[in-house]
Amino acid sequence: MIRTATIADLTLLPAIEVAAGEPFRAIGMAAVADDAPPTVAELEPALRDGRLWVATASDDEIGDTTVGYVISDVVDGCAHVEQVSVDPRWAGRRLGSELIDEVGRWGVRSGLRWLTLTTFADVPWNGPYYRRLGFEPIPDAELGQQLRAVRAREAAHGLDAWPRIAMRRALDRQATRSRTATT
């Protein structure tokens, strides 16, 4: 289930981020796996602004538990997936795509036309995964000023040690997808 995050969720999200980073170690990207997760203080503005959603799943031993999250923002007039992470123990259940779709619905409600994100181009659960979800690479010549700034911050953080791309998906497709999913 996808729902708006609560203050109680914030303390759970750093551990999800650490777990979601661990598979990068197996493909030679230990620096990504070792990157510090967001702090509760860093997550609070997204919670306060209504830009943070969580995925919950039911576990027989502990009941409903938070297993993933997504943070959105508006970048160059587009709904933007700032971060999406799902605990790998819950992979393969479409939780990541549901979280991304939630950002798309938020973008539609906000009157935005595109859903954007930045990602590793070749990591199977990044670029190729987002292509399967209908995202297409944004040509460098079409990057807006704010998205260029996002990419510059990523490069300064060392993420450009591996090929990265910006991608987008039209939100009119999202609106159709949301209607189909509910009918």
Side-chain angles (χ1 to χ4, degrees):
M1 177 177 89
I2 307 301
R3 62 170 172 77
T4 302
T6 66
I7 193 77
D9 292 311
L10 294 186
T11 59
L12 305 173
L13 304 187
I16 292 169
E17 186 67 24
V18 169
E22 207 46 43
F24 285 94
R25 191 176 310 285
I27 61 168
M29 297 172 72
V32 175
D34 293 337
D35 195 36
T39 64
V40 169
E42 290 168 334
L43 294 165
E44 284 175 338
L47 175 72
R48 183 181 55 248
D49 296 343
R51 302 180 290 110
L52 177 60
W53 297 270
V54 297
T56 61
S58 186
D59 184 301
D60 292 336
E61 293 180 21
I62 59 174
D64 284 345
T65 185
T66 301
V67 298
Y69 73 100
V70 66
I71 300 172
S72 69
D73 206 349
V74 175
V75 174
D76 293 323
C78 300
H80 183 75
V81 176
E82 184 176 314
Q83 179 64 39
V84 60
S85 295
V86 175
D87 186 315
R89 293 174 291 186
W90 295 90
R93 299 176 187 177
R94 301 197 41 79
L95 297 172
S97 66
E98 289 178 23
L99 286 163
I100 291 166
D101 285 349
E102 188 62 36
V103 176
R105 286 186 287 276
W106 171 78
V108 168
R109 288 190 306 270
S110 300
L112 305 174
R113 295 184 52 222
W114 292 96
L115 179 58
T116 63
L117 54 82
T118 59
T119 192
F120 293 108
D122 302 320
V123 173
W125 58 91
N126 281 193
Y129 171 73
Y130 296 123
R131 281 184 181 89
R132 289 192 303 276
L133 296 182
F135 286 83
E136 297 177 357
I138 304 171
D140 286 342
E142 295 180 27
L143 295 177
Q145 182 178 9
Q146 292 176 326
L147 198 50
R148 285 181 192 279
V150 168
R151 292 283 292 113
R153 282 191 302 276
E154 292 171 347
H157 195 67
L159 295 179
D160 276 9
W162 305 275
R164 288 191 61 82
I165 56 174
M167 302 181 84
R168 67 183 168 205
R169 177 172 85 187
L171 285 179
D172 59 349
R173 180 180 180 280
Q174 171 70 39
T176 301
R177 198 174 143 127
S178 296
R179 282 193 300 273
T180 302
T182 59
T183 57

